[in-house]
């Protein structure tokens, strides 16, 4: 079977079903990774995969989902991969395909965690290399909930193959745990070169909606590998809420939205695959299949994407690109960069987003600094504080490469001069990472006329065609010069915008250049903005915190673009927008008369993860005499409770939780320093301890790590035992540290019974410490069954339980 033919939109491919839950009676111990059976009992793996083939699977995945050096030390993971390939080939025979199955490492990459993107890439590189050396040339990259880790895996896989299929897992709010949207994922991985994109390890209703959203923005074949509903543990048995027959009822819906690869994940069986195969046969034989189910060929559009936001751009689009992330002429930014402090970029990015920017230009060039390191540091701070797409503004090839490589989404490279050498160097780089590019219409000399600008554009278009760079991904900058020195140039620039616009190309202008060296700069900038909009410009690089410029922008959109509704909405909200405070302005609130505003301000700062504002306002509260304990109980806990509510509502995601936790830790550090200065006034008290562990056999600990961070932020001392922790080790930790509670985590349904064994051992040792269990599948019923005091699904719910135990 040829993969290229398999992935034609007119065909339907049946994948396989679950592995782990079907191997529990084949020597797989509860909590063990199914991949270990490649070595322990290869015949059991073969029999399951062969059954899938005989029941109708066209493709099976190698039993290697967890085969990586984090889960299996030394070279063992490579042996598991090699044996997994041998078993799958034997099961598939000559007429069926296998895909090398690669799962997440479970790392928390910067800027949200401590792990480096390049380190993850290197690990994945070795994994794919092992497959490649076994002759595998097609891969299924699956069950990711982190955009950045999935990109690291994808880029590593792309070193060995173009045949990469990518699948994410989604929550009931149609986002990943990290808040990534289906559309952003589909847009990004299509541009990176994925052959198919989709969903696995997700409940079917959620999967169907996610796939509908993906189909809005991609023409790629879609993948559906849903779970058999929710799971629960009855005794030692895993029970699913949806039967094979019930799950198969979703098949037509999946096909209708563009799925061409359908299988099953947790809880599914060979019987489910057999039902799908029958449905496939019936559907393909029906006369209406091509009419009713053939996916429409989508026109490839111009999209910008960040994990949480995606924007479609066309000839009529008009966006403001914030210009303030640039140390040129801004002393405070430059001083911060020289000190290695990039946080000011986060604050500026957030302020510009609140000011109305649609995208942000980011420049970190300081001659005496390493621009690769500086731009990366600034990029991470901006990513943490803004969801806007970015224009990467650098002429340093290595800095541009690293930024494009790690950026989770599709942005714009700004800019390439319209000269052959630079075009040949930078266009392939941008194409490699799916980026759009700004072409600066400067040739060997500064253009003076419309004709020179258009000649430079023609040269860029010719080179782009030769390099097979998509013309739709070009944005032309006809260049704005200072009116004080080049007054005649403005007309030529605006004429170039009009001509390029008529030819169907996108344009951009940096309007602030017009007022350089002149008084009342914002007045001139606002006037030029209006003229540029009238000429048909698509992107305006400007200062979104300049009220006059933004008023002109809104007015021009209304009159020239006819967007009255947007204008009315903006006008209604304008008074509230004027009350927004930057962190710098918040520092001026020292009057006790404003204390009520500051009180709510501290809560808001923690909720938003604004470190500087949280420090300023916590310091002010302490100086007014508010006791540290009250600050914790009335402010920190109130803020964290609200963060937990936002998380439950699907408004906040893991990156938001981490930012809030970081702000909380900053305030706690300030409180400790305050108490150290006045030890006789009040004692902070002894920290209460919590022991956390991911139970034996479970190697997933992202959730547990977040819990640890939140608990520490709330003032508890956390003893984190790590993942895959034996019951006896947990008991010994409880004896040693005497915690007020134990937190046990399990992601896999197969490891959930281990929680009960831990509690049973604790009680047999005479230890009555309350145990809180956590994980996506735990329930109050299961907690009662095993003797836990509570079951929670997130860190903030756990925090509420701890407060009750205090």
């Amino acid at each position: 079977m040829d993969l290229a033919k398999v992935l034609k939109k007119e065909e339907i491919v049946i994948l396989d079903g679950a592995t782990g839950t079907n191997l529990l009676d084949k020597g797989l111990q509860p909590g063990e990774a199914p991949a270990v059976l490649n070595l322990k009992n290869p015949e059991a793996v073969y029999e399951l995969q062969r059954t899938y083939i005989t029941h109708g699977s066209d493709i099976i995945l190698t039993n290697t989902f967890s085969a990586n050096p984090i889960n299996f030390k030394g070279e063992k993971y490579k042996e598991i991969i090699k044996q997994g390939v041998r078993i799958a080939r034997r099961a598939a025979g000559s007429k069926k395909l296998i895909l090398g199955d690669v799962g997440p490492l479970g790392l928390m990459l910067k800027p949200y965690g401590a792990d480096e993107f390049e380190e993850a890439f290197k690990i994945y590189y070795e994994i794919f290399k092992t497959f490649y050396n076994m002759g595998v040339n097609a891969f299924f990259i699956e069950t990711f909930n982190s955009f950045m880790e999935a990109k690291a895996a994808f880029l590593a896989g792309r070193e060995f193959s173009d045949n990469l299929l990518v699948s994410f897992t989604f929550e009931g709010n149609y986002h990943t745990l990290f808040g990534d949207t289906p559309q952003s994922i589909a847009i990004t991985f299509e541009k990176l070169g994925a052959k198919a994109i989709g969903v696995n390890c997700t409940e079917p209703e959620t999967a169907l909606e996610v796939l509908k959203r993906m189909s809005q923005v991609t023409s790629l074949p879609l993948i559906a590998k849903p779970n058999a509903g929710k799971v629960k543990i009855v005794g030692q048995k895993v029970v699913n809420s949806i039967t094979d027959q019930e799950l198969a009822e979703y098949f037509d819906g999946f096909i209708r939205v563009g799925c061409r690869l359908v299988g099953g994940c947790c809880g599914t069986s060979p019987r489910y695959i057999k039902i799908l195969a029958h449905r496939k046969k019936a559907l393909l034989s029906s006369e209406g299949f091509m009419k009713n189910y053939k996916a429409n060929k989508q026109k490839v559009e111009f999209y910008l994407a960040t994990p949480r936001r995606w924007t479609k751009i066309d000839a009529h689009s008009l966006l403001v690109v914030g210009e303030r992330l640039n140390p040129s002429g801004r002393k405070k930014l430059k001083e911060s960069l020289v000190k290695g402090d990039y946080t000011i970029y986060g604050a500026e990015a957030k302020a510009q987003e609140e000011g109305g920017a649609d995208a942000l230009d980011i420049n970190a060039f300081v001659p005496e600094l390493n621009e690769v390191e500086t731009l990366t540091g600034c990029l991470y701070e901006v990513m943490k504080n803004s969801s806007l797409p970015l224009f990467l503004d650098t002429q340093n090839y290595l800095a541009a490469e690293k930024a494009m490589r790690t950026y989770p989404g599709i942005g714009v490279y700004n800019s390439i001069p319209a000269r052959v050498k630079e075009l040949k160097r930078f266009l392939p780089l941008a194409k490699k990472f799916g980026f759009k590019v700004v072409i600066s219409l400067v040739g060997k000399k500064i253009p003076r006329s419309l004709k020179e600008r258009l000649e430079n554009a023609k040269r860029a278009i010719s080179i782009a065609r030769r390099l097979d760079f998509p013309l739709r991904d070009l944005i032309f900058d006809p260049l704005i010069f200072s009116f004080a020195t080049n007054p005649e140039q403005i007309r030529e620039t605006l004429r170039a915008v009009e001509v390029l616009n008529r030819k169907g190309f996108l344009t951009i202008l940096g309007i602030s250049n017009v007022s350089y060296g002149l008084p009342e700069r914002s007045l001139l900038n606002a006037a030029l903005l209006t003229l540029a909009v009238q000429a048909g410009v698509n992107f305006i690089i400007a200062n979104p915190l300049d009220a006059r410029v933004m008023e002109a922008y809104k007015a021009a959109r209304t009159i020239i673009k006819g967007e009255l509704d947007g204008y009315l909405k903006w006008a209604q909200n304008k008074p509230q927008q004027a009350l927004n405070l930057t962190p710098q302005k918040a520092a001026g609130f020292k009057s006790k008369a404003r204390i009520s505003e500051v009180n709510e301000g501290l809560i808001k700062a923690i909720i938003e993860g604004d470190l500087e504002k949280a420090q300023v306002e916590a310091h002010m509260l302490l100086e007014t005499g508010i006791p540290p304990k009250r600050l914790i109980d009335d402010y920190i806990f109130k803020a964290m409770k609200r963060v937990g509510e936002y998380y439950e509502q699907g408004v906040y995601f893991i990156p938001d939780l981490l930012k809030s936790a970081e702000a909380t830790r900053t305030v706690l550090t300030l409180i400790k320093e305050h108490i150290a200065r006045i030890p006789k006034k009040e004692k902070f008290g002894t920290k209460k301890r919590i022991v956390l562990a991911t139970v034996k056999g479970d190697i997933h600990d992202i959730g547990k790590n977040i819990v640890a961070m939140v608990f520490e932020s709330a003032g508890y001392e956390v003893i984190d035992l790590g993942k895959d922790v034996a019951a006896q080790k947990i008991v010994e930790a409880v004896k040693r540290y005497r915690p007020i509670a134990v937190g046990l985590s399990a992601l896999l349904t197969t490891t959930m019974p281990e929680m009960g064994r831990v509690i049973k051992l604790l009680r047999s040792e005479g230890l009555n410490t309350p145990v809180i269990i956590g994980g996506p599948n735990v329930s109050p019923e299961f907690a009662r069954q095993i003797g836990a005091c509570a079951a929670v699904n997130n860190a903030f719910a756990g925090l509420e339980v701890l407060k009750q135990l205090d």
Side-chain angles (χ1 to χ4, degrees), residues 62-107:
T62 57
N63 182 33
T64 52
F65 173 74
S66 59
N68 61 63
I70 293 176
N71 299 332
F72 298 98
K73 302 305 178 185
E75 298 291 298
K76 186 176 180 180
Y77 80 95
K78 293 184 179 180
E79 289 306 312
I80 289 172
I81 290 173
K82 292 174 183 177
Q83 187 67 359
V85 172
R86 295 187 190 106
I87 296 167
R89 281 201 178 123
R90 181 180 161 212
S94 60
K95 295 184 179 180
K96 303 291 183 178
L97 287 178
I98 71 168
L99 294 175
D101 191 32
V102 179
L105 304 173
L107 299 178

Side-chain angles (χ1 to χ4, degrees), residues 398-428:
L398 294 178
E401 181 180 39
K402 184 169 184 181
M404 290 187 209
R405 185 177 176 83
T406 56
Y407 182 67
I410 300 299
V412 180
Y413 174 61
N414 185 22
S415 61
I416 308 175
R419 296 189 289 261
V420 174
K421 182 179 178 180
E422 286 92 335
L423 289 165
K424 287 184 174 180
R425 189 175 192 215
F426 282 97
L427 282 177

Side-chain angles (χ1 to χ4, degrees), residues 546-777:
D546 186 325
R548 182 180 277 160
V549 166
M550 292 306 289
E551 286 168 358
Y553 168 69
K554 294 296 182 182
R557 286 194 75 122
T558 304
I559 295 172
I560 298 169
K561 298 283 186 179
E563 298 178 3
L564 181 59
D565 290 343
Y567 176 80
L568 293 174
K569 184 177 180 181
W570 169 77
Q572 291 168 357
N573 293 330
K574 189 180 176 185
Q576 286 76 20
Q577 291 171 346
L579 295 177
N580 288 341
L581 300 174
T582 64
Q584 293 77 13
K585 289 180 181 178
F589 281 74
K590 296 182 179 178
S591 167
K592 289 187 180 181
R594 306 296 295 274
I595 195 66
S596 61
E597 288 185 32
V598 176
N599 290 354
E600 184 61 29
L602 175 58
I603 293 171
K604 185 173 183 285
I606 292 173
I607 291 170
E608 295 181 351
D610 191 328
L611 272 65
E612 184 177 352
K613 190 173 181 181
Q615 284 181 308
V616 168
E617 300 196 2
H619 175 74
M620 291 169 58
L621 287 168
L622 289 170
E623 291 300 310
T624 62
I626 290 181
K629 188 176 186 305
R630 184 183 162 198
L631 197 64
I632 292 171
D633 292 341
D634 293 353
Y635 298 94
I636 291 178
F637 274 114
K638 184 176 179 181
M640 296 184 79
K641 182 178 181 181
R642 204 174 298 174
V643 169
E645 291 169 354
Y646 289 164
Y647 182 76
E648 286 288 339
Q649 295 163 8
V651 176
Y652 268 20
F653 302 95
I654 286 178
D656 305 294
L657 305 190
L658 299 178
K659 281 175 58 183
S660 296
E662 192 176 355
T664 304
R665 279 202 305 274
T666 299
V667 174
L668 288 173
T669 299
L670 189 65
I671 291 173
K672 292 173 192 174
E673 293 171 352
H674 176 83
I675 292 170
R677 291 195 299 270
I678 47 173
K680 294 181 180 180
K681 245 188 174 185
E682 180 180 343
K683 290 185 179 179
F684 185 66
T686 304
K687 273 190 174 183
K688 295 178 180 178
R689 290 184 180 134
I690 313 294
V691 167
L692 294 181
T694 299
V695 295
K696 181 67 179 175
D698 204 316
I699 45 77
H700 302 85
D701 66 350
I702 284 183
K704 185 262 299 170
N705 292 343
I706 293 167
V707 169
M709 184 177 292
V710 170
F711 285 6
E712 286 175 345
S713 299
Y716 294 94
E717 181 183 355
V718 175
I719 311 300
D720 188 348
L721 303 180
K723 58 187 178 182
D724 192 21
V725 183
Q728 188 59 47
K729 185 176 179 180
I730 297 171
V731 170
E732 291 169 0
V734 172
K735 288 179 178 178
R736 178 181 177 185
Y737 296 108
R738 297 295 171 180
I740 64 166
V742 174
L744 300 179
S745 171
L747 176 72
L748 305 173
T749 56
T750 52
T751 58
M752 286 170 59
E754 181 66 15
M755 293 173 160
R757 283 188 278 275
V758 172
I759 294 173
K760 186 175 181 180
L761 185 58
L762 283 169
R763 303 302 177 246
S764 70
E765 294 281 340
L767 300 169
N768 295 316
T769 309
V771 176
I772 305 168
I773 61 172
N777 299 308

Side-chain angles (χ1 to χ4, degrees), residues 139-434:
F139 299 95
F140 192 67
I141 301 171
E142 64 154 314
T143 323
F144 280 85
N145 54 37
S146 163
F147 211 126
M148 292 193 72
E149 189 181 0
K151 186 173 182 181
F154 188 91
L155 294 181
R158 204 170 65 176
E159 295 289 317
F160 299 96
S161 173
D162 292 329
N163 296 318
L164 301 175
L165 289 69
V166 184
S167 182
F168 279 71
T169 179
F170 291 83
E171 303 299 299
N173 54 25
Y174 314 125
H175 292 69
T176 70
L177 278 171
F178 279 77
D180 310 325
T181 70
Q183 294 94 329
S184 294
I185 288 169
I187 289 166
T188 300
F189 283 93
E190 178 171 15
K191 287 296 288 183
L192 289 173
K195 289 296 191 293
I197 186 76
V199 183
N200 77 293
C201 206
T202 300
E203 291 187 40
E205 283 289 347
T206 300
L208 184 58
E209 178 58 30
V210 165
L211 291 163
K212 285 179 183 176
R213 297 184 184 196
M214 286 183 171
S215 71
Q216 297 170 2
V217 297
T218 182
S219 57
L220 288 177
L222 300 179
I223 307 164
K225 244 180 161 257
N227 289 343
K230 295 183 181 295
V231 299
K232 62 179 180 178
I233 306 296
V234 179
Q236 298 295 312
K237 190 175 181 182
V238 178
V239 179
N240 289 86
S241 63
I242 297 178
T243 66
D244 289 329
Q245 183 66 50
E246 290 169 336
L247 185 59
E249 295 296 324
Y250 287 88
F251 180 76
D252 281 20
F254 289 142
I255 300 301
R256 195 179 296 276
V257 298
C259 286
R260 291 299 177 263
L261 300 98
V262 183
C265 206
C266 301
T268 57
S269 71
R271 180 175 176 270
Y272 164 70
I273 297 301
K274 190 172 186 178
I275 298 170
L276 290 189
H278 284 302
R279 284 184 169 271
K280 168 188 171 180
K281 185 176 180 181
L283 192 60
L284 291 176
S285 63
S286 67
E287 292 183 3
F289 170 68
M290 296 302 291
K291 177 181 177 181
N292 298 323
Y293 292 90
K294 184 178 179 181
N296 293 324
K297 289 288 183 182
Q298 300 261 349
K299 180 183 177 183
V300 180
E301 305 284 0
F302 184 115
Y303 290 107
L304 297 179
T306 66
R308 297 198 201 179
R309 181 184 296 219
W310 58 280
T311 305
K312 180 180 176 181
I313 312 294
D314 59 29
H316 304 289
S317 298
L318 177 61
L319 287 80
V320 170
V321 181
E323 69 181 9
R324 292 174 58 83
L325 300 178
N326 191 329
S328 178
R330 300 199 64 199
K331 184 178 178 182
K332 188 171 184 180
L333 260 67
K334 183 176 179 179
E335 288 175 348
S336 295
L337 295 185
V338 170
K339 293 176 185 176
D341 179 8
Y342 308 124
T343 56
I344 191 171
Y345 268 65
E348 285 282 3
K350 183 178 178 182
Q352 289 186 94
E353 182 169 357
E354 292 176 349
D358 303 295
L360 300 172
D361 187 77
I362 178 170
N363 182 303
F365 176 69
V366 176
E368 58 265 37
L369 299 179
N370 181 328
E371 193 176 358
V372 176
E373 295 178 4
T374 307
L375 182 59
T376 301
C378 293
L379 177 66
Y380 285 163
E381 282 300 319
V382 172
M383 285 166 53
K384 284 164 59 177
N385 289 278
S386 172
S387 63
L388 297 181
L390 299 184
F391 283 56
L392 301 177
D393 189 354
T394 176
Q395 295 303 303
N396 184 311
Y397 185 92
L398 294 178
E401 181 180 39
K402 184 169 184 181
M404 290 187 209
R405 185 177 176 83
T406 56
Y407 182 67
I410 300 299
V412 180
Y413 174 61
N414 185 22
S415 61
I416 308 175
R419 296 189 289 261
V420 174
K421 182 179 178 180
E422 286 92 335
L423 289 165
K424 287 184 174 180
R425 189 175 192 215
F426 282 97
L427 282 177
L429 178 66
K431 181 184 176 183
K432 181 179 180 180
F433 298 109

Side-chain angles (χ1 to χ4, degrees), residues 7-28:
L7 294 178
K8 285 183 179 178
K9 299 294 289 280
E10 292 80 6
E11 295 191 25
I12 297 174
V13 177
I14 303 299
L15 301 172
D16 58 12
T19 298
T21 50
N22 290 302
L23 289 174
L24 283 173
D25 60 348
K26 304 293 183 181
L28 182 67

